[in-house]
Amino acid sequence: MLADSGRALTPLLGADWSVPAGALEWSCRATAAHIAHDLLAYAGQLAALPDDGYLPLDLVVHPDATPAQALRAVAACGKLLCDAVAAAPSEARAWHWGPCDPEGFADMGTAEILLHTWDITRGLGAPWAMPGAACTAVLRRLFPEAPYREGDPASVLLWCTGRGELPDRPRRASWTWAAAVAD
């Protein structure tokens, strides 16, 4: 997903990244920094395996970082998450509102990349279609109640996260994903 996101966002580096990222209150640049932050947080959880909360750390992308530098931070943190997932045994558990396995952290990372790349491209006025297979994987794991068999997986993921509408279903005003596993 990182490569898909990079291909979508790199051509937009000359745009004004201070504009809101789609319907979010964050700017496009702040949204990229948020992606990096969450990817690093997920990697840290898998590296330390805390069972009672998030590690007391935060990634700060410098306020004067360019969009290109923010995207490099996203790529670096994505690599750290990939490495942490690959290194963790499948039975490993770390806290994310309950015990979460490496696959759950991988899917949350994928969701962050998918959704916020979509937000940024909307903010910058560029078309980008989220890959259907990645959306389906995220829906199956993080939104098991989602009607992902009823339509385009990207549209369903956008609906699940309050970013879109589905026929005969009210728009969601709040949502959460189910990453924790029952052991």
Side-chain angles (χ1 to χ4, degrees), residues 27-114:
S27 70
C28 292
R29 192 206 149 282
T31 302
H34 168 80
I35 298 169
H37 172 275
D38 282 3
L39 297 176
L40 180 66
Y42 299 156
Q45 290 301 99
L46 278 175
L49 300 176
D51 62 3
D52 60 350
Y54 267 100
L55 297 174
L57 64 85
D58 273 315
L59 170 71
V60 175
V61 176
H62 289 231
D64 60 345
T66 67
Q69 291 168 325
L71 289 184
R72 279 196 293 270
V74 169
C77 293
K79 173 88 168 83
L80 291 170
L81 177 56
C82 288
D83 291 349
V85 168
S90 61
E91 66 275 3
R93 299 292 181 265
W95 190 86
H96 182 81
W97 307 106
C100 187
D101 61 350
E103 181 182 339
F105 283 104
D107 285 333
M108 289 188 294
T110 298
E112 294 287 345
I113 295 165
L114 284 170

Side-chain angles (χ1 to χ4, degrees), residues 96-175:
H96 182 81
W97 307 106
C100 187
D101 61 350
E103 181 182 339
F105 283 104
D107 285 333
M108 289 188 294
T110 298
E112 294 287 345
I113 295 165
L114 284 170
L115 292 164
H116 292 311
T117 298
W118 188 85
D119 294 330
I120 294 167
T121 57
R122 294 289 116 14
L124 298 177
W128 184 68
M130 294 188 291
C135 292
T136 298
V138 165
L139 288 166
R140 284 185 180 148
R141 174 53 194 265
L142 302 179
F143 297 99
E145 80 292 348
Y148 59 89
R149 289 185 174 91
E150 294 180 20
D152 169 55
S155 297
V156 174
L157 182 58
L158 293 171
W159 174 78
C160 283
T161 59
R163 289 170 169 84
E165 297 181 11
L166 288 179
D168 302 322
R169 295 185 185 270
R171 188 176 186 114
R172 285 187 156 183
S174 66
W175 57 274

